[in-house]
């Protein structure tokens, strides 16, 4: 794992190579299950019924333990002894908890900071991500893979863009073909297969047509079957289906075959309205203070239900307003007030099971929002958690290193590969 753990007080290595630490109490006892052990181990248990050595546990049992651990406990369990470390190489952390990433602002930084909600007082530093990292911006994520494209100020005169896909944890990089655009991909999505490295990138170019690139293609291709999704501002790709949302329609396309085709269309104009232009400025306030922060996103739940989430907050107010609509039929939507045991990752357009999981709040919305900075041209993004029970918004982490100037932050769902 190419990450370094940093305490706010002093740096600490992520993997301890010193003496073994005491093993956590995993609640394992040898009773009736002893019958499942090999004969030699059962004979040893009869001779020494009260001697339970952690290092002598069967490897398949240790692996069952590792498969149930989150990232933090997984790293600790690797340090129990050499046999546990050996088994850990065949396992991977079971992570369904969103992490926060903070991107650097300005040049001179080739790394990011990562925050794990399971460890509120720690942050992790990524390895060197390349000399051109700060000249690019992340426009989509899939697990630990990030789709990077040049920032607007770094687009050359010919408007030729060189995008690439980067694994944040391993630094593996997949370069994509160049294409010409004055503003890059808009409303883009990324999908990648961890084993085969098959990948798919879809986005809007110049707001008038959809383009895509997948492994095996020689260049970016227009997608004629996606015509009519201009002004799309939210897209989700899940189970080979692409969900496209604008202020009038929600359209669903099937990508399971060679040629995508539309399978569904429904109206959303009854509860989604285009943003209003700036009106008159309130007396005694700046233009910045009159800005209304808003975001509308399509979300697909674990069960396959389609939601539309509306969030809104005037800049002069500290109160966020969230409304969630669930599709119950063609052109039929109903407002819902609870997510049950799930949580929404709004930027990814998905939900996660949050019941009895430390580090993630159920019935909550994890989201990011641009902070209006006119001199930086919207060049700052903060992330928040909104709890539907308490109707309160809070910041997930306050232990941010002040020496690290940050421009953008976002939620992502890391995937920790096998060693």
């Amino acid at each position: 794992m190419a990450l370094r753990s940093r305490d706010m007080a002093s740096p600490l290595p992520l993997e301890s190579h010193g003496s073994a630490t005491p093993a956590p109490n995993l609640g394992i006892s040898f009773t009736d299950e002893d019958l499942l052990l090999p004969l030699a181990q059962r004979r040893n248990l009869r001779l020494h019924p009260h001697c339970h050595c952690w290092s002598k546990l069967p490897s398949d049992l240790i692996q069952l333990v590792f498969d149930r651990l989150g990232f933090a406990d997984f790293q600790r369990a690797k340090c129990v002894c050499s046999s546990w470390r050996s088994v850990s190489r065949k396992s991977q952390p079971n992570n369904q908890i969103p992490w926060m990433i903070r991107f650097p602002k300005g040049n001179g930084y080739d790394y990011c900071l990562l925050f794990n909600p399971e460890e509120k007082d720690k942050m992790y530093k990524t390895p060197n991500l390349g000399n051109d990292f700060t000249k690019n911006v992340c426009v989509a994520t899939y697990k630990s893979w990030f789709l990077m494209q040049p920032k607007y100020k770094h687009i050359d005169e010919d408007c030729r863009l060189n995008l690439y896909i980067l694994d944040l944890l391993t630094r593996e990089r997949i370069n994509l073909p160049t294409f010409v655009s004055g503003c890059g991909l808009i409303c883009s999505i990324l999908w990648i297969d961890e084993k085969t490295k098959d990948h798919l990138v879809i986005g809007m170019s110049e707001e008038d047509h959809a383009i895509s690139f997948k492994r095996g293609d020689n260049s970016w291709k227009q997608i004629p079957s996606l015509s009519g999704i201009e002004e799309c501002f939210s897209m989700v790709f899940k189970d080979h289906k692409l969900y496209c949302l604008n202020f009038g329609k929600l359209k669903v396309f099937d990508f399971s075959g060679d040629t995508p085709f539309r399978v569904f269309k429904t109206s959303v104009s009854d509860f989604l309205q285009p943003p209003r232009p700036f009106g008159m400025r309130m007396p005694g306030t700046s233009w910045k203070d009159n800005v209304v922060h808003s975001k509308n996103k399509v979300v697909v739940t674990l069960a396959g239900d389609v939601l539309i989430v509306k969030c809104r907050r005037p800049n002069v107010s500290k109160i966020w307003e969230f409304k969630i609509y669930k599709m119950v039929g063609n052109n039929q939507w109903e407002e819902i007030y609870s997510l049950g045991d799930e949580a929404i990752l709004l930027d990814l357009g998905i939900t996660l099971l949050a019941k009895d999981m430390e580090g993630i709040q159920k019935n909550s919305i994890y989201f990011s929002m641009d902070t209006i900075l006119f001199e930086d041209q919207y060049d700052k993004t903060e992330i928040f958690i909104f709890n539907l029970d308490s109707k309160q918004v809070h910041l997930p982490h306050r232990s941010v290193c002040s020496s690290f100037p940050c421009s953008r932050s976002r939620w992502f769902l890391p995937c920790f590969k096998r060693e």
Side-chain angles (χ1 to χ4, degrees):
M1 185 64 62
L3 292 176
R4 286 182 292 173
S5 172
R6 289 178 54 188
D7 224 326
M8 298 308 295
S10 60
L12 291 174
L14 182 61
E15 298 182 4
S16 174
H17 299 283
S19 59
T21 57
N25 181 8
L26 300 176
I28 300 175
S29 60
F30 294 95
T31 54
D32 296 338
E33 288 77 14
D34 296 340
L35 298 176
L36 301 177
L37 299 178
L39 179 60
Q41 293 184 1
R42 279 187 276 148
R43 184 181 298 111
N44 185 58
L45 287 175
R46 287 195 296 269
L47 296 175
H48 307 282
H50 301 294
C51 181
H52 302 320
C53 181
W54 292 100
S55 63
K56 301 300 182 182
L57 291 177
S59 60
D60 55 349
L61 181 58
I62 299 176
Q63 185 164 350
L64 288 176
V65 174
F66 274 111
D67 290 342
R68 286 162 173 77
L69 297 179
F71 175 79
D73 290 334
F74 186 94
Q75 301 301 328
R76 298 186 184 103
K78 289 166 60 174
C79 301
V80 169
C81 60
S82 59
S83 61
W84 281 53
R85 176 174 290 275
S86 177
V87 173
S88 72
R89 297 189 178 98
K90 304 176 183 179
S91 308
Q92 57 185 349
N94 178 22
N95 188 72
Q96 287 296 318
I97 297 176
W99 280 39
M100 181 180 79
I101 179 170
R102 297 184 72 87
F103 294 94
K105 180 179 180 179
N107 298 325
Y109 294 90
D110 56 8
Y111 62 90
C112 295
L113 297 184
L114 307 178
F115 296 83
N116 177 10
E118 293 179 287
E119 304 172 286
K120 295 184 178 180
D121 296 327
K122 280 188 178 180
M123 59 184 174
Y124 294 96
K125 178 181 175 181
T126 65
N128 186 324
L129 298 176
N131 296 329
D132 60 345
F133 180 74
T134 55
K135 296 181 180 180
N136 291 268
V137 61
C138 175
V139 294
T141 69
Y142 182 79
K143 296 184 178 179
S144 299
W145 293 88
F146 284 51
L147 176 62
M148 309 295 295
Q149 77 174 12
K151 295 179 180 178
Y152 181 78
K153 62 182 179 181
H154 293 296
I155 298 178
D156 59 27
E157 296 181 356
D158 297 330
C159 296
R160 301 185 66 85
L161 298 180
N162 295 292
L163 279 69
Y164 63 93
I165 306 171
L166 175 70
D167 188 311
L168 192 71
L169 305 182
T170 67
R171 290 178 291 180
E172 184 176 356
R173 176 166 169 163
I174 302 174
N175 292 320
L176 304 179
T178 300
F179 75 98
V180 178
S181 173
C183 55
L185 285 185
I186 303 171
C187 193
S188 54
I189 64 100
L190 168 67
W191 174 85
I192 188 167
D193 186 290
E194 292 284 352
K195 294 182 179 179
T196 65
K197 297 301 184 294
D198 289 340
H199 51 270
L200 173 66
V201 179
I202 303 174
M204 303 295 298
S205 175
E206 308 294 350
E207 300 186 14
D208 57 358
H209 60 268
I211 61 174
S212 71
F213 179 84
K214 63 180 179 180
R215 184 181 179 183
D217 292 343
N218 296 321
S219 62
W220 293 85
K221 297 181 179 180
Q222 292 192 24
I223 313 178
S225 58
L226 295 190
S227 61
I229 65 169
E230 59 275 357
E231 299 181 355
C232 173
F233 56 79
S234 175
M235 289 200 297
V236 172
F237 188 79
K238 184 176 181 181
D239 298 330
H240 301 290
K241 287 186 173 60
L242 179 67
Y243 300 78
C244 304
L245 176 67
N246 61 27
F247 288 106
K249 301 288 184 180
L250 170 68
K251 298 180 180 181
V252 183
F253 298 85
D254 192 315
F255 273 72
S256 58
D258 295 333
T259 302
F261 62 93
R262 195 185 74 194
V263 295
F264 190 77
K265 178 178 71 173
T266 184
S267 174
V268 297
S269 57
D270 288 344
F271 54 89
L272 281 188
Q273 298 295 330
R276 296 179 180 179
F278 290 111
M280 295 183 62
R281 180 166 58 92
M282 295 176 59
T285 61
S286 64
W287 285 109
K288 174 183 174 181
D289 291 334
N290 281 269
V291 173
V292 175
H293 300 277
S294 64
K295 178 177 289 190
N296 302 301
K297 296 283 290 185
V298 58
V299 174
V300 183
T301 69
L302 291 172
D305 294 325
V306 179
L307 309 177
I308 290 181
V309 180
K310 296 177 57 178
C311 58
R312 182 180 183 276
R313 178 182 70 85
N315 209 36
V316 295
S317 172
K318 295 183 179 180
I319 299 177
W320 288 88
E321 300 174 357
F322 280 85
K323 290 188 177 182
I324 305 176
Y325 298 90
K326 178 181 177 180
M327 186 173 65
V328 294
N330 191 16
N331 297 332
Q332 294 182 341
W333 299 81
E334 68 176 10
E335 186 173 359
I336 63 174
Y337 304 94
S338 175
L339 300 171
D341 293 328
E342 297 182 24
I344 289 178
L345 282 184
L346 196 59
D347 292 338
L348 298 182
I350 60 175
T351 64
L352 301 174
L353 185 63
K355 181 180 180 181
D356 301 327
M357 292 184 64
E358 183 179 357
I360 183 171
Q361 300 180 22
K362 67 177 184 179
N363 202 27
S364 296
I365 301 174
Y366 290 68
F367 69 104
S368 65
M369 189 65 68
D370 291 328
T371 298
I372 306 301
L373 297 174
F374 283 99
E375 65 274 13
D376 288 338
Q377 298 296 316
Y378 295 80
D379 195 26
K380 187 173 178 62
T381 306
E382 294 293 345
I383 63 175
F384 307 92
I385 302 174
F386 178 81
N387 185 270
L388 292 170
D389 292 323
S390 64
K391 309 297 182 184
Q392 298 293 320
V393 169
H394 68 273
L395 297 172
H397 279 278
R398 295 188 179 274
S399 56
V400 178
C401 181
S402 59
S403 62
F404 182 82
C406 169
S407 64
R408 295 179 180 271
S409 303
R410 69 183 301 156
W411 294 105
F412 75 107
L413 197 62
C415 176
F416 304 101
K417 295 182 180 180
R418 299 181 180 182
E419 299 183 12

